[in-house]
Amino acid sequence: MSRAISAVKGMNDLLPTDVARWRALESTIREVVRLHGYREIRVPVIEHTQLYVRSVGEGTDIVDKEMYSFVFHDEPMTVRPEGTAGVVRAYVEHGLHAKEPVSRLYYEGPMFRGERPARGRYGQFYQAGCEVFGDPGPLVDAEMIDMIVGLLRRLGITDVEVLLNSLGGKGTKARYRERLVEYLEPHKDALSEDSKRRLTTNPLRILDSKDPRDQKVIASAPSVLDVIGDDDRAHFDGLRRHLDKLGTPYTVEPRLVRGLDYYSRTLFEVRGRGGELGAQNTLVGGGRYDGLVEELGGPPTPAIGFAAGLERLLLATSVAPAKDQPEVFVAPLGERAMGEALALARELREAGVPTLVEGRGGSLKSMLRRANALGSTIAMVIGDGEVDRGVVQLKDLAAHAQRDVPRAEVVSAVTEAVRGGSTG
RNA sequence: GUGGCCGUAGAUCAGCUGGUAGAUCACCGGAUUGUGGCUCCGGUUGUCGCGGGUUCGAAUCCCGUCGGUCACCCCA
């Protein structure tokens, strides 16, 4: 074990035990999303850097300092830091808008950001997300938020809060930004160092600063909700009405802003309140991005989407993984039995029964110990005696029962036992 | 990127103010020439994260570095 190569910082392995939980989580998400009419789309992990610069936006931390970018054959490329941009690109590139009036897309996969890793936040992390194109809302907005809350509930994550805000339409964001800077400028000296810098780069971010100095100033800052247009207000009110009707709880948080530039109008975030999440308690983030499709070369198309952080859901969830251990453990004793065991295992597998053969030899005791440790339901012992008599010893591990079964009847006896329970 | 804490067998950890490493679990074998979950016995496993320094001597002290973790930052 000399000079072993370790994983890259922030990247981590998911061992089989972990993966069992992941699969349980993913299948729940897929099911919920399917019930809402979403269909999965798979897009590349690598895109032109420009895609993210134009969508996520310059001045955002993601683009400015967190992207895994490289130049390949003189082309600036980036390993995706988030999912929406790529999906929008695909939507435009394949002219989906011309094929169906509304597209409901689901995606899932690894994202990459060069941040300092912490619990619930990694350089390579996984997101599942949905995007709806072609529906201006606000009904879909409400439906999406409600779906997320329902999904979390199915995952056993109930201690959450939904934060809701509106960033207004096209012009309002810039207008509010101006208004905010106007307000903050005179208080500049009272702000934290970070926020002084943000005043020019990304003033909206100052709103959710945790620094007490900033909070003091922010407390009486103008609210976006006072600046949004009448249409935006109507949209926001409509969304709230739908949520109220559904009984889906939410909190209006005018200071909620998100890290990406493309958002407009509806903005939401779901935070977990369980202690296991620490400061990384944002489980889901999303919002409307009505201008992005056009921005990326498509026709004007309203759109909304969200992304959920899978490792964070996993920290908060109580979903139990399905059993993935072999049902049958074959313990051969001796040379002749080995060959017989292998053939038998193949038959069982063809019949759909997960089977493992102990090929390392060893004592029967140790083999049975292993069968038990693996959680197998049936152990099959084959020795010279069994081979000579044309039988196999079938042990029901839970019932401590065993009997000889003629070689020809083994498969049916096993499938029966596996489905039915006892072997009699 | 900034600051705090941590880094010892596969896993969880002990090792006090420096004298070249231990427990438990796991794993392997045995206690009935071929029968498991409990029990008992025995056994394997470590460049004490890495590099340098102080010292007769360092897992133990100092510096650096890498990794993890917590808070900030940011975000999923």
Side-chain angles (χ1 to χ4, degrees):
Chain A
M1 235 206 355
S2 62
R3 219 174 294 156
I5 296 174
S6 60
V8 171
K9 178 177 181 170
M11 310 289 163
N12 52 10
D13 304 305
L14 298 172
L15 270 19
T17 318
D18 307 314
V19 174
R21 296 194 68 225
W22 278 77
R23 293 177 67 111
L25 169 67
E26 287 162 6
S27 69
T28 301
I29 295 173
R30 287 209 168 88
E31 172 63 5
V32 168
V33 142
R34 186 182 70 84
L35 289 171
H36 287 77
Y38 290 90
R39 291 183 303 150
E40 183 172 355
I41 183 172
R42 299 193 182 192
V43 297
V45 159
I46 295 172
E47 298 275 3
H48 293 292
T49 298
Q50 202 52 29
L51 175 66
Y52 299 110
V53 173
R54 276 170 61 182
S55 58
V56 174
E58 265 168 312
T60 62
D61 282 29
I62 292 178
V63 168
D64 287 356
K65 49 190 192 195
E66 295 174 359
M67 295 204 298
Y68 282 91
S69 296
F70 59 97
V71 173
F72 185 73
H73 292 343
D74 291 333
E75 278 292 322
M77 311 259 190
T78 293
V79 190
R80 68 178 180 197
E82 61 102 45
T84 300
V87 173
V88 173
R89 196 224 79 235
Y91 176 83
V92 172
E93 190 162 339
H94 298 281
L96 284 187
H97 59 88
K99 296 179 175 134
E100 50 191 20
V102 174
S103 298
R104 293 185 162 227
L105 304 174
Y106 159 79
Y107 66 86
E108 195 251 315
M111 306 295 164
F112 302 82
R113 289 182 202 172
E115 298 180 88
R116 183 144 174 183
R119 182 186 181 81
R121 180 231 294 239
Y122 305 97
Q124 174 173 339
F125 62 104
Y126 294 78
Q127 285 189 335
C130 287
E131 316 287 352
V132 177
F133 296 95
D135 188 325
L139 187 143
V140 246
D141 302 28
E143 184 200 57
M144 182 174 276
I145 291 167
D146 184 57
M147 175 178 85
I148 293 165
V149 173
L151 167 64
L152 295 175
R153 196 183 311 119
R154 270 179 79 150
L155 293 171
I157 306 172
T158 51
D159 195 12
V160 299
E161 62 176 342
V162 178
L163 302 178
L164 200 61
N165 193 22
S166 175
L167 281 187
K170 217 171 191 170
T172 53
K173 196 165 168 181
R175 199 155 65 237
Y176 176 60
R177 188 195 185 101
E178 213 171 285
R179 175 88 66 95
L180 186 63
V181 174
E182 225 167 76
Y183 164 81
L184 291 171
E185 200 65 51
H187 299 87
K188 193 172 178 178
D189 292 340
L191 294 173
S192 67
E193 294 311 309
D194 280 329
S195 290
K196 279 175 195 161
R197 174 178 53 76
R198 284 186 286 219
L199 202 49
T200 51
T201 57
N202 199 347
L204 295 189
R205 288 244 64 96
I206 298 176
L207 290 173
D208 59 5
S209 166
K210 284 173 192 161
D211 192 298
R213 287 171 292 176
D214 296 335
Q215 300 216 323
K216 227 172 170 177
V217 178
I218 296 160
S220 44
S223 162
V224 230
L225 295 176
D226 294 334
V227 182
I228 63 177
D230 291 345
D231 289 354
D232 302 328
R233 172 155 302 286
H235 184 101
F236 193 56
D237 290 345
L239 164 58
R240 294 186 58 179
R241 252 198 324 280
H242 287 308
L243 288 176
D244 291 339
K245 181 76 192 291
L246 287 166
T248 303
Y250 62 87
T251 306
V252 173
E253 174 49 90
R255 292 195 302 242
L256 174 68
V257 288
R258 316 225 77 263
L260 308 106
D261 264 5
Y262 52 64
Y263 287 117
S264 61
R265 286 200 166 166
T266 305
L267 197 61
F268 61 88
E269 180 168 316
V270 182
R271 289 184 189 156
R273 284 187 287 217
E276 65 284 330
L277 289 165
Q280 269 67 54
N281 65 345
T282 301
L283 295 170
V284 180
R288 189 158 273 288
Y289 47 95
D290 292 336
L292 186 58
V293 173
E294 189 175 11
E295 171 71 22
L296 293 179
T301 308
I304 183 169
F306 74 87
L310 298 192
E311 29 282 279
R312 291 181 189 178
L313 290 184
L314 228 34
L315 284 174
T317 189
S318 54
V319 284
K323 172 181 172 167
D324 62 353
Q325 301 296 0
E327 298 280 3
V328 175
F329 186 93
V330 184
L333 286 159
E335 249 335 284
R336 285 196 296 153
M338 290 275 190
E340 192 63 33
L342 207 51
L344 185 59
R346 187 171 66 187
E347 283 175 43
L348 287 168
R349 289 161 182 158
E350 280 168 354
V353 180
T355 303
L356 210 54
V357 183
E358 177 57 271
R360 300 176 302 171
S363 67
L364 179 59
K365 173 193 290 240
S366 67
M367 289 194 282
L368 287 175
R369 243 180 215 169
R370 185 159 154 73
N372 192 65
L374 285 172
S376 308
T377 54
I378 291 172
M380 315 219 3
V381 181
I382 310 176
D384 288 347
E386 281 78 9
V387 174
D388 289 341
R389 284 183 291 134
V391 299
V392 164
Q393 184 184 94
L394 193 155
K395 277 179 75 72
D396 181 326
L397 289 165
H400 285 264
Q402 54 187 295
R403 64 187 167 113
D404 283 352
V405 175
R407 181 65 181 74
E409 295 167 27
V410 171
V411 173
S412 62
V414 167
T415 49
E416 205 174 295
V418 166
R419 302 202 207 306
S422 171
T423 61

